[in-house]
């Protein structure tokens, strides 16, 4: 489970190990990426950078797991996570959990940067993209080397969305599909073209004090 993730490890133990085994499912998608990692890796001894990456993963991937999500893979210094949607009623909860994970990551990064400031080190920054869509989850690769992964246009879209955090100077961005499912006062940023997609997509930024009223104590607790 530590190497493959809980669901993937259960699939392997259940014999679902053939290339192409998998299923299509709706999911909330999370993608985060560490900023300036190339510069950091060049400026730091390799062991120190390795330790820094692991600390970064503690409050990014760790937040996904803490809020009930699944870490699909680490891509260099990026994290791809999912919050599966079991039925229509769970869709709202999955989005709320992903947003809670994003906020948790933001807060943990702020704490870590305070530590770094005390040591005279520059702050770290990251970007997070949040999206909802159908994905294919299953085995891909070659017979000699397989891995469980999620693929599909929705995955590409969340990666492109996270890339916009650099351009727009925002830490957390959500697609229209995600924002319309979470009852907080998002800040609409307009429609943007995402590389590889035909029509511009709605993009929303997280406001710090945007929780709307009358959506239930459970959601308020989840969103902070």
């Amino acid at each position: 489970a530590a190497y493959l993730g809980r669901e993937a490890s259960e699939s392997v133990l259940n014999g679902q190990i053939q290339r192409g085994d998998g299923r299509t499912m709706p999911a909330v998608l999370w993608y985060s990426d560490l900023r300036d990692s190339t510069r950091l890796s060049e400026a730091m001894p390799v062991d120190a950078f390795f330790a820094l990456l692991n600390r970064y993963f503690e409050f990014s991937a760790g937040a996904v797991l803490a809020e009930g999500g699944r870490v699909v893979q680490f891509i260099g210094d990026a994290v791809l996570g999912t919050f599966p949607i079991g039925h229509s009623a769970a869709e709202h909860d999955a989005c709320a959990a992903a947003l809670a994970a994003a906020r948790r990551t933001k807060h943990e990064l702020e704490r870590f940067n305070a530590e770094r400031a005390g040591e005279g080190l520059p702050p770290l920054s990251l970007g997070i993209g949040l999206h909802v869509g159908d994905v294919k989850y299953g085995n891909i690769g070659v017979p000699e080397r397989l891995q469980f992964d999620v693929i599909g246009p929705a995955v590409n879209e969340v990666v492109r969305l996270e890339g916009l955090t650099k351009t727009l100077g925002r830490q957390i961005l959500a697609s229209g599909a995600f924002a319309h499912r979470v009852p907080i006062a998002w800040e609409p940023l307009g429609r943007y073209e995402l590389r590889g997609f035909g029509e511009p997509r709605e993009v929303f930024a997280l406001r710090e004090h945007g929780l709307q009223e009358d959506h239930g104590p459970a959601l308020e607790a989840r969103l902070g």
Side-chain angles (χ1 to χ4, degrees):
Y3 280 91
L4 298 178
R6 177 173 54 83
E7 186 176 27
S9 65
E10 290 173 356
S11 296
V12 170
L13 292 174
N14 290 332
Q16 298 173 11
I17 56 175
Q18 299 301 313
R19 184 170 61 162
D21 283 349
R23 68 185 188 278
T24 299
M25 64 181 189
V28 175
L29 297 165
W30 151 298
Y31 189 80
S32 68
D33 193 21
L34 180 66
R35 296 280 174 265
D36 298 323
S37 58
T38 300
R39 178 184 58 80
L40 288 168
S41 65
E42 292 177 348
M44 299 173 64
V46 64
D47 287 345
F49 182 65
F50 197 72
L52 180 66
L53 274 184
N54 278 327
R55 184 68 185 276
Y56 155 70
F57 287 138
E58 285 177 8
F59 56 73
S60 53
V64 172
L65 296 172
E67 296 295 340
R70 300 165 185 174
V71 174
V72 178
Q73 60 174 283
F74 299 100
I75 309 166
D77 51 47
V79 177
L80 175 60
T82 64
F83 293 78
I85 299 170
H87 49 83
S88 59
E91 183 179 81
H92 187 87
D93 294 337
C95 289
L99 182 55
R103 281 180 158 167
R104 181 191 289 257
T105 296
K106 182 178 182 295
H107 295 156
E108 289 299 316
L109 178 62
E110 290 170 352
R111 291 176 55 186
F112 184 50
N113 280 335
E115 293 178 20
R116 289 177 62 82
E119 300 170 4
L121 298 172
L124 298 182
S125 61
L126 56 75
I128 299 172
L130 301 170
H131 183 43
V132 181
D134 289 337
V135 297
K136 176 68 180 287
Y137 175 78
N139 274 307
I140 63 171
V142 295
E144 297 82 8
R145 176 64 174 88
L146 295 171
Q147 71 177 38
F148 279 85
D149 204 351
V150 292
I151 61 172
V155 178
N156 298 332
E157 187 165 344
V158 76
V159 173
R160 301 287 185 262
L161 182 65
E162 185 281 324
L164 273 182
T165 62
K166 306 172 189 177
T167 305
L168 300 180
R170 300 301 182 98
Q171 199 168 59
I172 301 171
L173 293 179
S175 67
F178 184 95
H180 294 320
R181 288 170 167 83
V182 182
I184 66 172
W186 294 94
E187 180 182 352
L189 300 181
R191 300 177 72 89
Y192 288 83
E193 291 186 1
L194 302 180
R195 183 165 56 87
F197 293 89
E199 295 185 1
R201 299 300 207 259
E202 287 183 294
V203 176
F204 294 81
L206 179 65
R207 282 177 175 158
E208 286 305 300
H209 304 289
L211 186 65
Q212 294 178 355
E213 297 179 355
D214 300 327
H215 288 284
L219 182 61
E220 285 197 27
R222 170 71 78 174
L223 298 181

